[in-house]
Amino acid sequence: LTFDNAGMVEFANPVALSMFGLDAITPQTVHIRELVSPSQHVHEPLLIGLKKAARNSAVHHMPLTLDGIRKSGKIFPLTLRINLLPGNDISYVCTVKDLSDVKNQEVFAQTVFDALPNMLIVKRADTLSITHVNDAGSKILGADKASLVGLSDFDIFDETEAKKFISDDKQLLSSSEKQNVNEFELNIDGVTRFFETKKIVIDDNYGKPQYILALSEDVTKWRDKTLNRRMSMAADAAHIGVWEWDTCTNELIWDDWMHKIYSVSKAGFSGQFSDWESTVHCDDIVNVKKKINQAIQESSGFHATFRVKAASDKYRHISAYGRIEGNKMFGINIDIT
């Protein structure tokens, strides 16, 4: 479409007419501001901004992103390229592209992103600033999506973590590979969590890196289960009994080796502190309980060596270690007879 120096539309081709929902345009009856509106953050009058853009050769290759106004009043996104009409210093020619489908695709993509259970973050390859975050990422990072856009890792994480993330990004961008998978450790609200992160470089049409997409899965529970399984196997191989005691309820939990060490069947075990207490030699119990109480009061470690009654009125020598965490004590027993 074209318009004159006063902003009055002179001509619109059939595609432009259809785009704005018009049947026809009679010259000098429609102003450009009836078809196009500047973005909300732009305070400069539309016509002045368009004229500046037309005379600024540096921005000719970059379209303006504006709001289109259909005859029905509906607003739609568009891009506009503007130049002075060749051979004419008082008229302007615009090529306008309807971005409704692109916007719909962005909304669709964001909806898909938000449906993912894992954290998804997209960064610009040149500045490493965030352009997109999904709902899972917003929840994990404790900030709304809009406030995260435009931030860098240094704005979100502590310096050590940020340097590590940025170093990994730069290494990926400089390599011939377009993707990698690494595990990162994050401290969120004082809790250490582990994330397995797959990063993918997204190139533009010329093969130049444009974005980095990072998809992160929280593997903290999986790591803990794996670690616990390995510890359980090691303890089992070494014939070490593992126990847990709730200092408030007196509930006591034993693994299989604790039952073997103490010669107490699972059927005959009530799961109370008194079950263990009744097995300790009468000459040792006072000293052992004193060390237990001291560990509880000082939230410190516990260690004691004592005798317990086993089968056939024989006694075994036990070395016990424990640690207080909140209202629970966790520990191990080793038969050192």
Side-chain angles (χ1 to χ4, degrees), residues 133-144:
V133 181
N134 68 346
D135 284 345
S138 172
K139 183 178 180 180
I140 289 171
L141 298 177
D144 63 271

Side-chain angles (χ1 to χ4, degrees), residues 8 23 56 109 135 147 150 168 185 262 280 292 331:
M8 300 306 296
D23 298 325
N56 186 353
D135 284 345
S147 67
D168 186 71
E185 180 180 329
Y262 283 82
V280 181
I292 290 175

Side-chain angles (χ1 to χ4, degrees), residues 21-133:
L22 301 171
D23 298 325
I25 285 183
T26 304
Q28 305 300 315
T29 60
V30 177
H31 196 278
I32 186 65
R33 63 172 168 264
E34 296 178 55
L35 304 179
V36 179
S37 173
S39 302
Q40 292 182 355
H41 66 276
V42 176
H43 302 293
E44 188 176 54
L46 173 68
L47 190 57
I48 294 175
L50 292 178
K51 289 180 178 180
K52 283 184 178 179
R55 289 177 166 81
N56 186 353
S57 59
V59 299
H60 283 171
H61 69 288
M62 291 291 292
L64 303 173
T65 302
L66 304 167
D67 290 330
I69 307 171
R70 302 195 201 279
K71 185 179 180 180
S72 63
K74 184 177 180 181
I75 304 297
F76 67 98
L78 59 77
T79 59
L80 180 148
R81 295 177 187 270
I82 184 167
N83 288 282
L84 281 165
L85 197 64
N88 189 332
D89 289 337
I90 58 172
S91 293
Y92 303 85
V93 58
C94 305
T95 54
V96 185
K97 183 177 181 180
D98 187 344
L99 294 183
S100 297
D101 287 342
V102 175
K103 192 69 176 178
N104 289 339
Q105 289 175 15
E106 288 184 357
V107 172
F108 173 77
Q110 186 67 51
T111 303
V112 173
F113 291 165
D114 287 336
L116 294 173
N118 300 329
M119 176 167 61
L120 184 142
I121 294 177
V122 180
K123 299 179 187 175
R124 288 175 57 98
D126 53 356
T127 63
L128 297 182
S129 59
I130 294 174
T131 62
H132 295 80
V133 181

Side-chain angles (χ1 to χ4, degrees), residues 315-318 334-337:
Y315 282 86
R316 289 177 180 163
H317 294 262
I318 305 297
I334 306 171
D335 187 344
I336 59 171
T337 307

